[in-house]
Amino acid sequence: MILGGLDIFIVLLVLLAILTVFLGVKTVPQGFNWTVERFGRYTRLLPPGLNLIIPFIDRIGRKINVMEQVLDVPQQDVITKDNATVTVDGVAFFQVFDAVKASYEVAQLDQAIVKLTMTNIRSVMGSMDLDQVLSHRDEINTRLLRVVDAAVSPWGIKVTRIEIKDIFPPADLVNAMGRQMKAEREKRAEILSAEGQRQSEILRAEGAKQSQILEAEGRREAAFRDAEARERLAQAEAKATEMVSQAVEQGSVAALNYFIAEKYLKAFAELARSPNQKVLMLPIEATNVLGSLAGIAEIAKSTFEERAQGAPRATGRPTPTGPSGPSVPPPPPPVR
């Protein structure tokens, strides 16, 4: 079957209509913005969804991704302020907010961001010492973000984050840092040990001080009690002597005999308790001691009779001491 001229024209017209619809209808995916150029000049921006353009006159210029993106910053050598060389790499996160500017204000957007980030890494870290570079990574990230974001803002881009991934010091520098850290830890250990010994000595001294204070207070209390006991004993002796003196004045010789006999026996007891005395010779008669005891019995008898009769003791006549000799025992002979 041979088609005529009219049939060919109709077929061509249908194909042209299909081609026109295909070129005029554009579907933009979510997360992208497309620019429309007319004869090479930007005219408008196509948002996500179904859009229509003029076929054969308008065309799609740039397809811009407006989602947040990440770029790897390659490794580079950085010389710090104290002339130490370190190898650094990182990552940068950015997002396009103005697709038109990102399309026509800068060429090769990704490469521009990477180069700008690398340059600022050298500038920021080169102004810091090695110790600051290794220990102030958050500060480096903050400074880089502030500088790079301000630099790319005319391109319609927002840099959301810049992170330094790894910092590699030279091997010899790492060994030196390890030795320094070891020496520092040994120094701290020595300081802590010395501080512990110091505290121990202080505590022992405080304990000895408190012990001496308590011991001194104990001796003072004991001395006070001893003095009080001696004072009371002296008062008792004085009272006894006074009573004996009154009894002698009233003519009671028995009280004097009792007082002397008591002193006499106490003196012999002290001689017997002497640590250097092994043998004690006592040339003393038993009748004298018995006479002293008889004097004591006479005092007791006389006291009970006075209480029973209620009459005062007679004065002027000495009380006999007993049948066994004088009432006052003779002084003891010297001990050999």
Side-chain angles (χ1 to χ4, degrees):
M1 179 179 179
I2 300 175
L3 297 176
L6 181 59
D7 295 334
I8 296 174
F9 177 75
I10 292 174
V11 171
L12 293 176
L13 186 60
V14 171
L15 293 176
L16 181 60
I18 295 173
L19 181 61
T20 301
V21 172
F22 179 76
L23 295 176
V25 177
K26 300 296 181 182
T27 303
V28 180
Q30 184 67 36
F32 285 85
N33 284 336
W34 292 0
T35 62
V36 178
E37 298 177 356
R38 181 173 296 173
F39 303 114
R41 181 181 179 183
Y42 166 78
T43 58
R44 62 193 179 97
L45 189 67
L46 299 181
L50 184 63
N51 297 274
L52 297 177
I53 64 173
I54 301 175
F56 308 109
I57 297 176
D58 295 339
R59 69 180 184 90
I60 302 299
R62 305 289 179 88
K63 298 179 180 181
I64 303 300
N65 187 350
V66 296
M67 295 181 290
E68 187 171 3
Q69 304 174 62
V70 58
L71 291 174
D72 285 327
V73 180
Q75 291 184 353
Q76 61 176 332
D77 293 333
V78 177
I79 300 176
T80 61
K81 186 178 180 180
D82 52 353
N83 297 324
T85 303
V86 294
T87 304
V88 183
D89 61 355
V91 292
F93 297 84
F94 72 96
Q95 186 175 8
V96 176
F97 285 94
D98 192 336
V100 178
K101 290 183 178 180
S103 300
Y104 301 106
E105 294 293 336
V106 61
Q108 298 179 351
L109 178 62
D110 294 351
Q111 185 178 0
I113 295 175
V114 170
K115 296 299 182 181
L116 185 62
T117 303
M118 293 177 64
T119 302
N120 283 278
I121 286 177
R122 287 194 295 268
S123 300
V124 171
M125 300 181 66
S127 63
M128 304 173 67
D129 296 333
L130 178 61
D131 293 337
Q132 294 178 336
V133 168
L134 296 176
S135 60
H136 294 74
R137 188 172 297 189
D138 292 338
E139 181 181 352
I140 296 173
N141 295 336
T142 303
R143 293 174 61 181
L144 283 174
L145 178 61
R146 184 173 62 251
V147 174
V148 175
D149 184 51
V152 301
S153 59
W155 302 342
I157 299 171
K158 174 67 176 177
V159 178
T160 58
R161 179 175 297 180
I162 296 178
E163 296 287 343
I164 299 297
K165 291 196 300 184
D166 296 310
I167 300 176
F168 301 99
D172 55 347
L173 188 59
V174 172
N175 295 332
M177 292 171 61
R179 292 193 299 270
Q180 180 183 1
M181 181 183 64
K182 182 179 179 181
E184 184 68 23
R185 293 186 180 275
E186 290 178 353
K187 174 184 174 182
R188 292 179 183 179
E190 293 293 335
I191 291 175
L192 291 177
S193 177
E195 185 68 22
Q197 293 180 358
R198 175 175 172 270
Q199 291 294 334
S200 176
E201 294 294 336
I202 290 175
L203 291 177
R204 281 198 291 267
E206 287 290 338
K209 176 183 175 182
Q210 292 295 330
S211 175
Q212 293 176 0
I213 291 174
L214 293 176
E215 184 179 357
E217 289 181 354
R219 290 197 302 268
R220 185 183 68 176
E221 185 68 20
F224 176 77
R225 298 294 184 185
D226 192 19
E228 185 178 3
R230 289 196 301 269
E231 181 181 358
R232 292 186 178 181
L233 181 61
Q235 291 177 357
E237 291 286 342
K239 186 66 176 178
T241 304
E242 181 182 358
M243 293 179 65
V244 170
S245 299
Q246 292 178 358
V248 172
E249 289 179 356
Q250 295 175 2
S252 178
V253 183
L256 182 61
N257 291 337
Y258 167 75
F259 185 75
I260 295 175
E262 182 186 7
K263 298 295 182 181
Y264 192 39
L265 293 177
K266 285 184 177 180
F268 281 113
E270 292 295 331
L271 289 175
R273 284 196 297 267
S274 176
N276 298 325
Q277 188 67 34
K278 302 302 181 182
V279 179
L280 182 65
M281 303 297 294
L282 299 177
I284 181 172
E285 297 179 359
T287 56
N288 292 334
V289 178
L290 293 176
S292 300
L293 296 177
I296 297 171
E298 185 66 23
I299 292 174
K301 179 179 178 182
S302 170
T303 302
F304 287 131
E305 288 179 355
E306 290 179 359
R307 290 182 179 179
Q309 296 177 3
R313 188 189 307 179
T315 59
R317 186 172 59 89
T319 304
T321 60
S324 59
S327 57
V328 179
V335 179
R336 297 180 180 178

